[in-house]
Amino acid sequence: MAKRIEGDFDYIIAGAGTAGCVTANRLSADPNKRVLLLEAGGNDNWIWFHIPVGYLFAIGNPRSDWMFKTEPEPGLNGRALNYPRGKVIGGCSAINGMISMRGQAADYDHWRQLGLTGWGWDDVLPVFKQLEDHFLGASDHHAAGGGWRIEEQRLTWKILDAIRDAAAEMGIRRSPDFNTGDNEGVGYFHVNQRRGQRWSAARGFLKPVLNRSNLRLETGVLIDRLIIENGRAVGIRFSQGGEVVEARTKGEVILCTGAIGTPALLLRSGIGPSEWLAPLGIDTVLERRGVGGNLQDHLQQRAIYKVTGAKTLNETYHSLIGRGMMGVDYVLRRRGPMTMAPSQLGIFTRSNADRERANIQFHIQPLSLEKFGDPLHPFPAVTVSACNLQPTSRGTVRLRSVRPDDAPMIAPNYLATDADRQVAADAIRVTRRLMKQSALSSYRPEEYLPGPSVGDDDASLAKAAGDIGTTIFHPVGTAKMGLASDPMAVVDERLRVHGIGSLRVVDASVMPTITSGNTNTPTAMIAAKAAGMILQDAR
């Protein structure tokens, strides 16, 4: 028999990642509402959660990462990819690249055009601003005083300045700010940091309010399934410390378990396609075909160029003195490579002239390695990764078994469409053109990946994209928003699950289409907007 957790809760929030932290902050602001927040991971009391370069140690570490892998991907020539997801308070914001990126106004206007009232750019911009404490201060685009600290990066590299100049030679305008609604341009990313330290959602939104008597955080929780009675979600069943526990609510259950965790939890609870559930012995509580479908992600083609006469992190990494000086610079000034986001320079541009808006994003780094987790190369080099911002391929998240500790089957289905293969090929062409600009001639860039032997025809470049393509960790869409008439919709425009009472999904899984940039900041916006709707609906 399950142990009953004490408390009469108005809201139970599953997951203390970015969305869960923001949602808990907002809902617990009313002292008359009791909020229970459940998190599988632990507290962020490890130094590498706070030093920006700590993502190198946090990703691929079971202390902080769910350690998921994809299924072998046909579009990646049979390769399977590691698929990091944060497992700690703050979730992915505790281990990600810290890049602050809203996407494009057209992304949200498209959501509104799908019939999702209240999700256009003019609707979400005030919510973005409400979250922010931006170094640029208050303006038409930004605000100060919120919990989400955004700053400039605290280091420079001459080779990146040269690549910025090369982009300008190609006709790409310089952009001091990618977050005005149109991110086309070249410039340096703004980051979620405060004075050289990572600023996660836990630091910005959860930890400052944990002293509230009406907010309870439970960590080390492995959620089994939802408790559904008479067509309504009334609680959550989970294990903690070897015990089976139930928590119940008189109000709502709110899922903030992410684009991988949320569909898995819904499926274990009998909500999803019956043909997926029956073979696992799960009774279908509600047939919702969209649960676990519509998976979208940004696939990057990770091109590498050797350079001459340029300082990159590769040399510093292989120098004992260099590594020591990095540490000294960080301790004394909170500056230097230890403050690095994984990518510093960004370019948003079009893969070809026929595109209506920027559809590829470059993440450019003054370093290189064979694959994530390997040591840096022993030669100076830069990584110039281009990803398709608006992919048309769609994948799935399915259960491997009914066990909550058994990782789901993740099949992003990269490069499954002709359109995506064409964008991938064109993106490599844009990369090659960029690296041949005169602004870089003194550094003599030499293509290392995909390599000069790869031809310039579509077939060769599409195959190369499959060889060097990898996730940039932006899964979304697996419990998407949509009208009741949409057979793939899981939630409505107020994020209520179609067909189940008192149940909402508040995380990146609700995006009907992926945003044109890094997805952490849009996830925070979704949570803040959802919390407002939840409070409004409760009145």
Side-chain angles (χ1 to χ4, degrees):
M1 187 172 183
K3 171 186 172 183
R4 178 80 175 267
I5 195 169
E6 295 178 6
D8 187 15
F9 299 101
D10 295 279
Y11 303 108
I12 299 177
I13 303 171
T18 297
C21 288
V22 174
T23 305
N25 175 293
R26 297 295 194 259
L27 296 184
S28 65
D30 181 349
N32 297 314
K33 300 294 185 182
R34 295 203 63 202
V35 179
L36 174 64
L37 178 61
L38 304 175
E39 168 55 36
N43 290 312
D44 61 346
N45 54 359
W46 185 34
I47 190 172
W48 294 118
F49 288 134
H50 307 296
I51 297 176
V53 79
Y55 68 88
L56 291 169
F57 306 100
I59 292 176
N61 187 324
R63 174 175 184 164
S64 47
D65 183 356
W66 280 96
M67 306 288 289
F68 294 145
K69 290 182 74 76
T70 71
E71 300 299 294
E73 282 284 296
L76 302 186
N77 304 323
R79 291 184 299 127
L81 301 178
N82 292 330
Y83 217 67
R85 298 282 86 198
K87 189 180 182 182
V88 60
I89 61 168
C92 290
S93 74
I95 68 171
N96 71 358
M98 297 163 283
I99 292 171
S100 177
M101 188 64 56
R102 294 170 175 171
Q104 298 169 0
D107 299 329
Y108 303 98
D109 289 342
H110 173 63
W111 295 2
R112 185 189 62 218
Q113 290 157 11
L114 293 174
L116 300 172
T117 303
W119 289 95
W121 175 250
D122 290 342
D123 302 305
V124 302
L125 178 58
V127 186
F128 279 121
K129 292 174 66 175
Q130 179 190 63
L131 289 165
E132 287 185 346
D133 183 21
H134 204 287
F135 78 96
L136 290 174
S139 68
D140 290 344
H141 302 297
H142 295 295
W148 205 228
R149 181 61 184 171
I150 300 164
E151 295 186 349
E152 290 184 297
Q153 297 180 64
R154 297 168 70 87
L155 75 169
T156 60
W157 300 85
K158 289 184 178 179
I159 184 64
L160 297 188
D161 289 344
I163 295 174
R164 179 192 58 190
D165 294 343
E169 283 186 347
M170 289 173 60
I172 299 171
R173 65 174 180 257
R174 294 176 186 266
S175 175
D177 182 2
F178 288 131
N179 286 305
T180 63
D182 178 5
N183 55 16
E184 189 162 5
V186 57
Y188 286 94
F189 293 121
H190 297 160
V191 291
N192 292 120
Q193 294 183 10
R194 183 184 291 278
R195 293 189 292 275
Q197 290 191 307
R198 175 189 290 274
W199 199 253
S200 70
R203 295 192 73 179
F205 298 100
L206 179 60
K207 292 167 81 170
V209 300
L210 277 177
N211 60 343
R212 291 175 178 167
S213 60
N214 62 323
L215 174 60
R216 177 171 174 175
L217 170 67
E218 293 287 336
T219 57
V221 166
L222 184 62
I223 297 175
D224 178 13
R225 58 180 171 81
L226 302 171
I227 303 170
I228 299 171
E229 296 176 353
N230 301 316
R232 176 178 172 268
V234 299
I236 291 181
R237 187 181 180 95
F238 59 91
S239 60
Q240 184 185 41
E243 288 188 292
V244 177
V245 185
E246 286 188 357
R248 289 183 173 250
T249 175
K250 60 185 180 182
E252 294 193 36
V253 176
I254 302 161
L255 305 188
C256 300
T257 38
I260 306 303
T262 287
L265 174 53
L266 290 171
L267 290 167
R268 285 198 301 274
S269 305
I271 302 170
S274 55
E275 67 266 28
W276 290 5
L277 301 175
L280 297 173
I282 301 173
D283 292 334
T284 301
V285 173
L286 177 69
E287 178 82 26
R288 291 257 41 121
R289 303 197 60 76
V291 174
N294 193 50
L295 174 61
Q296 299 158 61
D297 190 13
H298 290 141
L299 181 75
Q300 62 175 344
Q301 283 75 246
R302 204 170 58 87
I304 294 173
Y305 284 78
K306 294 182 178 181
V307 291
T308 301
K311 180 182 179 183
T312 73
L313 192 61
N314 290 11
E315 306 93 276
T316 303
Y317 174 86
H318 288 284
S319 163
L320 187 60
I321 294 175
R323 291 202 300 272
M325 291 305 296
M326 281 171 45
V328 169
D329 196 15
Y330 187 75
V331 169
L332 296 181
R333 303 194 307 142
R334 290 288 188 267
R335 293 188 176 274
M338 291 188 74
T339 70
M340 277 177 58
S343 301
Q344 292 78 57
L345 182 69
I347 302 173
F348 291 83
T349 189
R350 307 175 195 215
S351 58
N352 64 56
D354 296 331
R355 294 283 167 175
E356 293 183 358
R357 56 186 170 121
N359 71 311
I360 56 174
Q361 175 185 5
F362 283 89
H363 290 80
I364 302 171
Q365 308 162 305
L367 56 87
S368 67
L369 65 170
E370 287 299 314
K371 65 179 186 299
F372 197 88
D374 284 2
L376 301 187
H377 286 134
F379 48 79
V382 293
T383 301
V384 187
S385 297
C387 70
N388 180 355
L389 291 172
Q390 296 132 26
T392 55
S393 298
R394 299 291 184 265
T396 58
V397 176
R398 299 180 59 169
L399 295 182
R400 199 176 305 277
S401 75
V402 297
R403 292 172 53 95
D405 59 350
D406 202 357
M409 296 184 291
I410 304 168
N413 206 25
Y414 297 119
L415 301 176
T417 65
D418 290 341
D420 284 356
R421 289 189 291 273
Q422 185 64 58
V423 171
D426 288 341
I428 295 174
R429 291 189 181 102
V430 174
T431 306
R432 286 175 165 176
R433 191 161 74 250
L434 172 71
M435 299 306 289
K436 289 178 180 176
Q437 297 299 310
S438 61
L440 287 166
S441 59
S442 63
Y443 297 110
R444 301 198 294 278
E446 178 187 345
E447 186 176 318
Y448 178 78
L449 279 180
S453 64
V454 174
D456 201 49
D457 59 286
D458 285 348
S460 296
L461 292 176
K463 181 183 182 303
D467 289 335
I468 66 173
T470 187
T471 177
I472 206 158
F473 317 131
H474 298 163
V476 307
T478 49
K480 76 166 192 169
M481 273 192 285
L483 302 178
S485 57
D486 180 351
M488 290 297 289
V490 178
V491 300
D492 66 13
E493 74 277 4
R494 298 186 76 78
L495 308 189
R496 299 169 297 200
V497 173
H498 290 292
I500 296 285
S502 305
L503 179 62
R504 298 199 204 218
V505 177
V506 178
D507 57 36
S509 67
V510 305
M511 294 186 191
T513 50
I514 195 167
T515 53
S516 298
N518 308 71
T519 52
N520 191 236
T521 295
T523 301
M525 179 277 293
I526 288 168
K529 185 170 173 61
M533 292 190 291
I534 292 167
L535 293 172
Q536 186 180 57
D537 290 348
R539 295 190 187 110

